[in-house]
Amino acid sequence: MDRFACDVLVVGGGGAGLRAVIAVAETHPKLRVAVISKVYPMRSHTVSAEGGAAAVIKAGDSLDAHAYDTISGGDWLSDQDAVEAFVREAPEEMLRLEHWGCPWSREPDGHIAVRPFGGMKIERTWFAADKTGFHMLHTLFQTTLKYDAIERYDEWFVTKLLVDAGRCQGVVATELATGKIQVITAKAVILCTGGCGKVFPFTTNANIKNGDGMALAYRAGAPLKDMEFVQYHPTGLPFTGILITEAARAEGGWLLNKDGYRFLQDYDLGKPEPKPVLRSMELGPRDRLSQAFVKEQEKGRTLEGPYGHYVHLDLRHLGARVIDTKLPFVRELCLKYQNIDPVKEMIPVRPVVHYMMGGVSTDIHGATPLPGLYAAGEAACVSINGANRLGSNSLTECLVFGARAGEAAAAFAAAQREPGPSVLAQADDEGRRLEEKFRRKTGGHERIATLRAEMHETMEESAGIYRTGATLEKAAEKLQSLQERFGDLALADHSYTFNTELTAALELSYMLDVAEAIVHSALRRRESRGSHQRTDFPARDDAEFLAHSLAYRGADGRPRVEYLPVTITRWPPGKRVYGR
């Protein structure tokens, strides 16, 4: 086992991770900083973000308006001190990215172009056509190249956080190309590994998003916060789950049921008007739109195809020029994956799992309760998103809290001693575990695909758009059974070079841990708020549940759920609306 050492180690090479590593290099240039990623950084999931990133820039907008939209959209579960910091620093981060070379779309007079986005009253979403994440990630990656202090470990997969003397002091990882088990010691570790959408069967998320960082922190003793809040995006392609960006509706797309009727006008989407206005109703909050789809399905007003029920997204009235200028990637996706042209045909869409409001619990600086461990991006829960994230806040969150976590971790690392020899003993133990329980294991009767499929079915049935206590209790029992059956896993591939079966087995173990945290947190929250809708407790209950759930891994391996008060600064809980 080889040993590598650095002062700050960032796990994950997406938007939050690259912004964090740049922050370390900028603020503490003498520190050794590294980024480890299981894929080449430009293949991180940030690259697939399409619609845009929110920040106040337009005349008539304000930081308070952005904060209020975020807090109200999050159904008052957002920590307001974090939201205020977020909206204040968002424009600075976006302008910084502009100076680094991000090609934001512009108005004819040269000003930054902004578009409307779901749940926001004012146009404040910056965009680069509909490939915003692609251009942001390119910009961040090329910026990292100018810092000699930044080392990269591409295509390394982290299997354990090393914790000694009460603080995180590094990781154990496998080098995918060789199969070698490696140890990287560090004075501080930042988890920027993204979400866990692959816990569900239909998701916009890439195959790499398995909750790796969440599970690593959970196993190391850090709590997972607000894991019951799972966002469904209302417009995914029925078979693949590929996202059709909210920007398609921001530019004027319509959602139509099987009768060609714009059904959202029949639902309460949170607008102050007594009835949603036709011009903007498709830009209601994502949770409300997904819930409306379910109601349409129950009324028999959806269409049904080989991959389930769907409705239509109609862009035809926008015309080829608007689509090719502002939504070129949408047209490309539809042509490649559905064999339809949105200029001439309607797009079949259905709600699909898109984003986790929950994640590793952090403070406003990205610090977890475990000293030396930090988190940012979708892997973390700071929490600005509360019970429902507004579209286009997530990319900016990666920048703001990636930078904050990087600065805080660097300051922490600068005051620490080098990790001691007991950390290496832990690494040796992890190496033996990987060899004995996976690489050299013989026998076993369970298959990865079987356990994963049963997990998917369980999560879709119990923790989807609508939930009940009975289905969640059944799911908790099922997931415990799957955890036990995982111990009887059969592995056929014992090679070392790019052993994808080993990687899939480790990812499944992470997903099972995260799935349990989601289900147990949802079972304990006996109310409906944002994306968490309990049909047996349909009302929001501020008296009992204006609080964050914290899921700790218990001594028996099962989640233990506690609660933490929400931070309220200036906006007391009220009726949830978007816009005022």
Side-chain angles (χ1 to χ4, degrees):
M1 183 183 294
D2 296 327
R3 177 188 174 182
F4 302 87
C6 62
D7 294 305
V8 179
L9 177 64
V10 178
V11 183
L18 295 183
R19 183 64 189 93
V21 82
I22 292 168
V24 176
E26 282 185 331
T27 59
H28 287 73
K30 293 184 179 180
L31 293 182
R32 301 161 296 171
V33 56
V35 57
I36 182 172
S37 176
K38 70 176 176 181
V39 295
Y40 188 73
M42 277 310 304
R43 293 185 62 237
S44 298
H45 196 57
T46 306
V47 80
S48 68
E50 300 170 34
V56 172
I57 191 174
K58 191 173 183 178
D61 198 1
S62 70
L63 299 183
D64 279 0
H66 190 184
Y68 179 83
D69 285 350
T70 299
I71 293 161
S72 176
D75 222 347
W76 268 269
L77 204 73
S78 308
D79 282 328
Q80 295 180 15
D81 57 341
V83 172
E84 291 190 78
F86 166 69
V87 300
R88 182 177 64 250
E89 295 172 20
E92 301 168 9
E93 285 294 328
M94 299 294 280
L95 288 170
R96 184 175 287 111
L97 215 63
E98 152 90 356
H99 296 158
W100 287 343
C102 189
W104 300 118
S105 293
R106 309 186 96 83
E107 301 291 355
D109 64 1
H111 283 88
I112 296 290
V114 289
R115 60 172 38 133
F117 237 67
M120 295 193 186
K121 178 185 176 184
I122 297 173
E123 296 179 356
R124 64 170 67 93
T125 298
W126 305 37
F127 61 97
D130 58 352
K131 297 184 179 180
T132 308
F134 174 88
H135 290 298
M136 287 179 65
L137 196 62
H138 265 276
T139 301
L140 290 165
F141 182 64
Q142 69 190 19
T143 302
T144 66
L145 301 179
K146 72 180 183 180
Y147 294 102
D148 294 335
I150 297 176
E151 296 182 75
R152 292 212 324 269
Y153 299 94
D154 297 338
E155 297 185 330
W156 286 38
F157 183 54
V158 176
T159 67
K160 183 180 176 64
L161 296 179
L162 298 173
V163 180
D164 186 49
R167 65 183 178 94
C168 187
Q169 301 194 44
V171 304
V172 176
T174 60
E175 186 178 13
L176 298 180
T178 65
K180 290 184 68 175
I181 300 171
Q182 314 278 24
V183 57
I184 305 177
T185 58
K187 299 173 183 176
V189 174
I190 310 174
L191 296 172
C192 301
T193 52
C196 59
K198 294 303 289 184
V199 168
F200 290 82
F202 295 104
T203 176
T204 64
N205 289 188
N207 283 331
I208 59 175
K209 293 189 70 176
N210 304 283
D212 303 358
M214 296 176 185
L216 287 167
Y218 181 62
R219 294 175 181 183
L224 301 182
K225 184 194 297 178
D226 293 342
M227 292 300 291
E228 62 268 41
F229 296 104
V230 179
Q231 182 172 84
Y232 277 71
H233 196 290
T235 55
L237 296 179
F239 172 51
T240 60
I242 289 172
L243 174 69
I244 300 300
T245 173
E246 197 157 293
R249 288 172 282 125
E251 297 299 334
W254 300 336
L255 284 172
L256 308 176
N257 65 16
K258 72 174 186 179
D259 301 318
Y261 175 68
R262 291 176 71 183
F263 60 90
L264 291 174
Q265 61 190 292
D266 294 343
Y267 296 92
D268 176 14
L269 304 178
K271 281 290 281 185
E273 295 89 350
K275 189 175 183 180
V277 292
L278 287 173
R279 179 177 53 82
S280 63
M281 63 186 171
E282 273 83 10
L283 287 179
R286 291 171 177 177
D287 57 344
R288 296 275 176 90
L289 267 61
S290 297
Q291 291 156 22
F293 173 91
V294 174
K295 297 300 183 183
E296 286 294 291
Q297 182 180 333
E298 291 173 351
K299 296 171 183 175
R301 296 176 184 171
T302 56
L303 300 101
E304 189 169 6
Y307 308 108
H309 289 261
Y310 64 93
V311 293
H312 278 131
L313 175 62
D314 191 359
L315 308 181
R316 295 173 298 175
H317 54 285
L318 301 182
R321 188 182 68 82
V322 169
I323 291 173
D324 287 339
T325 302
K326 294 188 173 181
L327 302 168
F329 193 44
V330 166
R331 191 176 190 185
E332 180 183 336
L333 289 172
C334 290
L335 287 167
K336 284 186 175 180
Y337 293 98
Q338 290 288 145
N339 196 28
I340 63 172
D341 187 347
V343 172
K344 304 172 184 176
E345 302 164 274
M346 293 189 290
I347 308 168
V349 293
R350 57 158 285 176
V352 288
V353 168
H354 181 58
Y355 186 89
M356 297 299 300
M357 274 68 76
V360 184
S361 180
T362 75
D363 66 11
I364 199 170
H365 302 292
T368 76
L370 176 61
L373 182 64
Y374 297 77
E378 192 178 352
C381 181
V382 61
S383 150
I384 67 163
N385 298 311
N388 172 67
R389 176 177 69 80
L390 294 192
S392 74
N393 266 353
S394 60
L395 286 177
T396 324
E397 179 186 4
C398 287
L399 300 176
V400 170
F401 290 101
R404 279 178 162 256
E407 292 169 6
F412 179 89
Q416 304 302 314
R417 297 179 178 178
E418 293 290 337
S422 58
V423 170
L424 300 181
Q426 282 187 46
D428 289 336
D429 290 342
E430 173 66 0
R432 282 190 291 272
R433 182 185 78 92
L434 293 173
E435 289 289 340
E436 294 169 6
K437 293 192 174 183
F438 295 97
R439 283 179 166 164
R440 293 202 299 264
K441 182 183 177 183
T442 57
H445 302 88
E446 298 287 353
R447 304 298 300 181
I448 294 171
T450 301
L451 297 180
R452 186 170 53 213
E454 291 185 31
M455 175 192 69
H456 281 162
E457 182 181 5
T458 300
M459 295 303 290
E460 183 78 358
E461 290 179 353
S462 69
I465 295 172
Y466 286 99
R467 303 151 179 197
T468 69
T471 57
L472 288 165
E473 286 178 357
K474 183 178 177 182
E477 294 173 2
K478 178 65 174 181
L479 290 171
Q480 185 180 17
S481 171
L482 292 176
Q483 290 275 27
E484 293 167 359
R485 289 167 57 189
F486 182 83
D488 192 33
L489 201 63
L491 298 175
D493 188 353
H494 300 287
S495 65
Y496 282 79
T497 301
F498 288 111
N499 187 332
T500 55
E501 187 182 37
L502 171 62
T503 304
L506 294 170
E507 288 174 334
L508 176 59
S509 74
Y510 291 156
M511 287 191 285
L512 288 171
D513 280 358
V514 170
E516 283 199 302
I518 292 170
V519 166
H520 282 263
S521 298
L523 181 59
R524 285 288 304 275
R525 184 173 289 275
R526 294 181 295 276
E527 67 159 353
S528 291
R529 186 187 298 267
S531 67
H532 172 73
Q533 294 292 306
R534 287 279 296 266
T535 58
D536 47 351
F537 294 96
R540 193 179 86 186
D541 183 357
D542 288 341
E544 184 73 20
F545 290 105
L546 187 63
H548 300 295
S549 64
L550 295 176
Y552 292 86
R553 193 172 193 235
D556 58 357
R558 305 191 72 188
R560 183 186 80 254
V561 180
E562 300 178 1
Y563 288 95
L564 178 72
V566 172
T567 301
I568 306 292
T569 58
R570 298 164 52 201
W571 294 276
K575 180 177 171 57
R576 181 187 173 196
V577 297
Y578 70 97
R580 285 178 289 179

